[in-house]
Amino acid sequence: MSYVLEVQGLKKKIGKRYIVNDVNFRVEEGEIFGLLGPNGAGKTTIIRMITGLINRTDGKVFIKGNSVDTDYKGSMNELGAIVENPEFYKYMSGYANLKHYARMSLKPISEERIKEVVQLVKLDGAIHQKVKTYSLGMRQRLGVAQALLHGPSLLILDEPTNGLDPQGMKEFRDYLKVLAENGTSILVSSHMLGEMQLMCDRFAIIEKGVLTHVSSMEDENNAFAEEMREVLLVVNEAGAAASLPGFLSLTENLDVSGEQILKFSAKYDSLPMIVKELTDHGVQIYEMTPVKKSLEDRFLELTREKEEALL
Ligand SMILES: Nc1ncnc2c1ncn2[C@@H]1O[C@H](COP(=O)(O)OP(=O)(O)OP(=O)(O)O)[C@@H](O)[C@H]1O
Ligand SMILES: [Mg+2]
């Protein structure tokens, strides 16, 4: 397995306090990896250390296998980042801004490359308009275009969907996925769990400067399928009154509250059998509502497990 980013023992001490403490993680080729944590957890500090904007107190960073300490130029060639809000000349067009940026690049950037990147972030239609006419979403995309100009393998974005509306977030997510499919690995931070759930292949939870958990969306989904889940059924009155042995054996915490509502927990796999059992016994089902657990619940569970383990 080759890693596009490897972070080892990363620490940042300010005064007497470690605001980042012994953080380790790796980002694989073509994956979207999330840093998830509440405000003040240390996400921006981690990102600023990786991108070299601030010094590390301790730890190592490798980009495409190159240590940023021994091969700074080589590793920066493979890195594109938007950490603070990207600054643009508002009275110049998006295109003029990119050309200006390209001229300052260490690596020569062709006119073709600029066009390619503009297409990639879907700004072709507006690239010759002045940046002051751009929406926030368009500015974000121009920022990504700028970060991608020199063709890096790794793109780092600190809270890129901040301030975007739901439609803007979805568009942004969709084209980050396109970038990842085309081989660019992405490290992205957010304090919004739902957002990470929709965007990332894997994510790390950062709390008070410490990485407490790494998980893939696949693991999360598998854990989700294995768990007992709560289901609400709306049935006919006679159905709610019926006590069915087969049904009871497949459920836990059965609660017949209200005349037409059955509430119980069961494994996802056994739901079709339960429904069959019920209808075979003449129960009519009008509604079935799974009480779905979101990543947010999982996040709370994981942090709670940690706290309990510490007690
Ligand atoms: N230069 C600094 N001096 C002192 N404390 C700092 C400094 N920079 C960051 N901190 C503190 O370190 C902690 C982590 O800050 P950081 O900005 O990395 O968090 P974050 O996870 O990015 O938060 P947010 O979601 O709000 O962006 C915070 O408690 C912050 O107050
Ligand atoms: Mg931050």
Side-chain angles (χ1 to χ4, degrees):
M1 175 61 71
S2 61
Y3 298 101
V4 174
L5 173 67
E6 253 188 289
V7 171
Q8 294 175 356
L10 195 62
K11 293 184 187 177
K12 181 72 183 178
K13 192 179 183 186
I14 292 187
K16 286 189 174 159
R17 193 161 77 96
Y18 281 95
I19 58 172
V20 171
N21 202 349
D22 199 18
V23 165
N24 299 278
F25 66 91
R26 299 192 282 206
V27 178
E28 290 164 17
E29 218 156 86
E31 92 171 327
I32 304 183
F33 188 94
L35 290 178
L36 171 62
N39 290 134
K43 305 179 296 293
T44 299
T45 307
I46 292 170
I47 286 176
R48 296 181 67 154
M49 285 194 280
I50 296 171
T51 53
L53 287 171
I54 56 171
N55 289 329
R56 284 163 273 140
T57 300
D58 201 358
K60 291 198 169 82
V61 175
F62 299 90
I63 296 171
K64 271 224 138 179
N66 300 318
S67 161
V68 298
D69 295 316
T70 54
D71 185 6
Y72 183 75
K73 209 176 144 190
S75 41
M76 289 305 126
N77 267 337
E78 297 294 345
L79 174 68
I82 310 180
V83 185
E84 271 90 35
N85 275 338
E87 289 289 325
F88 296 109
Y89 297 100
K90 291 196 183 70
Y91 290 91
M92 277 162 48
S93 69
Y95 194 80
N97 269 280
L98 291 180
K99 274 209 83 158
H100 175 72
Y101 191 82
R103 272 196 297 270
M104 297 190 308
S105 167
L106 297 171
K107 201 167 154 181
I109 292 165
S110 66
E111 200 94 359
E112 278 67 48
R113 177 62 188 164
I114 299 178
K115 287 190 181 130
E116 199 178 293
V117 169
V118 167
Q119 266 178 11
L120 205 60
V121 301
K122 301 206 167 61
L123 270 179
D124 340 28
I127 201 65
H128 295 293
Q129 287 172 29
K130 285 181 180 160
V131 170
K132 68 171 182 154
T133 68
Y134 283 15
S135 69
L136 182 64
M138 288 159 82
R139 276 177 215 197
Q140 288 285 46
R141 283 184 281 157
L142 186 61
V144 174
Q146 180 177 299
L148 287 175
L149 272 180
H150 60 291
S153 327
L154 174 67
L155 182 63
I156 299 185
L157 306 166
D158 191 17
E159 309 245 9
T161 54
N162 251 3
L164 298 185
D165 64 19
Q167 177 63 25
M169 283 188 188
K170 185 181 175 334
E171 283 170 15
F172 198 80
R173 276 199 305 271
D174 286 349
Y175 92 88
L176 286 191
K177 281 180 189 159
V178 172
L179 291 180
E181 275 159 22
N182 287 323
T184 309
S185 306
I186 299 169
L187 175 68
V188 61
S189 77
S190 175
H191 60 276
M192 287 186 293
L193 310 161
E195 189 53 19
M196 291 271 104
Q197 192 169 22
L198 291 169
M199 190 156 39
C200 298
D201 302 305
R202 290 193 306 143
F203 64 91
I205 294 175
I206 312 289
E207 292 173 279
K208 296 182 182 147
V210 177
L211 190 157
T212 56
H213 183 83
V214 181
S215 186
S216 66
M217 289 323 303
E218 209 179 327
D219 291 347
E220 290 302 312
N221 292 336
N222 288 342
F224 183 66
E226 280 296 303
E227 275 168 19
M228 298 292 283
R229 64 197 61 208
E230 239 185 326
V231 180
L232 273 177
L233 288 185
V234 179
V235 299
N236 57 328
E237 276 184 43
S243 155
L244 306 166
F247 171 64
L248 288 174
S249 72
L250 291 170
T251 64
E252 281 177 18
N253 307 320
L254 176 65
D255 176 15
V256 189
S257 56
E259 299 196 314
Q260 290 182 259
I261 295 177
L262 299 174
K263 192 174 156 191
F264 58 85
S265 299
K267 277 202 169 166
Y268 193 65
D269 289 353
S270 54
L271 290 178
M273 278 163 74
I274 290 173
V275 169
K276 185 170 186 308
E277 194 80 26
L278 285 169
T279 47
D280 282 355
H281 286 81
V283 180
Q284 293 163 1
I285 300 171
Y286 294 96
E287 276 180 42
M288 178 156 159
T289 315
V291 184
K292 195 181 173 213
K293 270 198 189 166
S294 65
L295 178 59
E296 193 145 353
D297 298 316
R298 288 281 302 147
F299 178 68
L300 291 172
E301 261 174 35
L302 289 168
T303 48
R304 211 174 301 130
E305 275 165 24
K306 282 271 176 237
E307 271 169 29
E308 277 161 12
L310 291 172
L311 289 176

